Amino acid sequence: MKKNFKIGCLGFIILIALIVVIAVVASGGDDSGSGSSSSSNSSKSEEQKAHKVGDTFTVDDKAEVSVTKVEEKEQVGNQYANKKASEGGTLVAVQWTVKNVSDKPLNAFSVPSINLVDEKGTKYEADIDATSNYAIETDIDNSKIASDLNPNIKVTDIKVFEISKDSYAKGKWYLEINGSKVQIK
């Protein structure tokens, strides 16, 4: 009985230690000191500043990014493989470049991701079918889905978003790339 009690106490202590470690990791080790506050404020003001199509900027100190082309389309693809916008919808086709400026390969999970965002902050994900058809139309398929992007290598990637035509006609629209915004409309 003494042995079971010791094992139970040891298990309890390990469980408490694990909870403390998880809590520290989840909080990001954030302290409320003045150094942390000023860097937080500067990153917030940097996020609020939107880049323009054609601007080149760095994300996560790993990749240099530039949105090179944005176009609204009713259909993407060619005569054999194509996708039309749904009724009341429009396709927003985006071309952008990514260059690895770090000294290590970027795997598929490290390469910057892109979403379409309206002025209210609603995020829209890319339409995979429309993106595939746009790749056929433009003959651009440099995305790094299954392989690493090595240092100093630059690729062009594409995404197509299907959204409400009325919504797109109104308001401001942005592309969000790992927290950085590019105003497109």
Side-chain angles (χ1 to χ4, degrees), residues 24-93:
V24 168
V25 169
S27 71
D30 188 27
D31 61 37
S32 57
S34 62
S36 169
S37 174
S38 67
S39 71
S40 174
N41 287 340
S42 68
S43 68
K44 283 183 183 176
S45 65
E46 191 175 307
E47 278 185 11
Q48 292 173 353
K49 177 190 168 218
H51 301 280
K52 296 177 182 162
V53 173
D55 289 353
T56 300
F57 54 95
T58 304
V59 293
D60 302 332
D61 296 326
K62 297 177 184 176
E64 209 173 66
V65 175
S66 178
V67 175
T68 56
K69 185 176 185 180
V70 178
E71 56 185 330
E72 183 178 5
K73 299 181 72 86
E74 292 299 316
Q75 176 178 319
V76 290
N78 62 21
Q79 64 185 2
Y80 304 110
N82 58 61
K83 169 132 188 206
K84 292 181 181 179
S86 301
E87 186 175 329
T90 190
L91 302 172
V92 179

Side-chain angles (χ1 to χ4, degrees), residues 103-118:
D103 58 357
K104 296 178 182 168
L106 297 178
N107 64 35
F109 300 107
S110 300
V111 173
S113 61
I114 188 169
N115 289 303
L116 185 64
V117 181
D118 66 17

Side-chain angles (χ1 to χ4, degrees), residues 2-175:
K2 250 185 179 183
K3 194 173 189 177
N4 286 342
F5 178 75
K6 287 181 182 178
I7 291 174
C9 281
L10 181 61
F12 181 74
I13 291 170
I14 291 172
L15 179 64
I16 296 296
L18 184 61
I19 290 171
V20 169
V21 168
I22 290 171
V24 168
V25 169
S27 71
D30 188 27
D31 61 37
S32 57
S34 62
S36 169
S37 174
S38 67
S39 71
S40 174
N41 287 340
S42 68
S43 68
K44 283 183 183 176
S45 65
E46 191 175 307
E47 278 185 11
Q48 292 173 353
K49 177 190 168 218
H51 301 280
K52 296 177 182 162
V53 173
D55 289 353
T56 300
F57 54 95
T58 304
V59 293
D60 302 332
D61 296 326
K62 297 177 184 176
E64 209 173 66
V65 175
S66 178
V67 175
T68 56
K69 185 176 185 180
V70 178
E71 56 185 330
E72 183 178 5
K73 299 181 72 86
E74 292 299 316
Q75 176 178 319
V76 290
N78 62 21
Q79 64 185 2
Y80 304 110
N82 58 61
K83 169 132 188 206
K84 292 181 181 179
S86 301
E87 186 175 329
T90 190
L91 302 172
V92 179
V94 177
Q95 294 180 28
W96 59 305
T97 62
V98 179
K99 180 180 180 183
N100 181 352
V101 293
S102 73
D103 58 357
K104 296 178 182 168
L106 297 178
N107 64 35
F109 300 107
S110 300
V111 173
S113 61
I114 188 169
N115 289 303
L116 185 64
V117 181
D118 66 17
E119 63 188 330
K120 295 176 186 174
T122 304
K123 288 185 181 182
Y124 298 82
E125 293 185 6
D127 181 307
I128 295 170
D129 188 32
T131 298
S132 297
N133 285 296
Y134 189 60
I136 293 169
E137 175 185 327
T138 60
D139 202 25
I140 296 174
D141 192 14
N142 272 339
S143 62
K144 291 292 184 175
I145 294 173
S147 63
D148 293 345
L149 181 60
N150 287 319
N152 297 310
I153 299 297
K154 181 178 180 179
V155 295
T156 299
D157 200 356
I158 55 173
K159 296 289 181 192
V160 177
F161 303 88
E162 183 176 28
I163 59 171
S164 161
K165 189 171 194 145
D166 289 341
S167 295
Y168 191 67
K170 302 172 186 171
K172 293 182 181 178
W173 287 85
Y174 302 89
L175 292 168

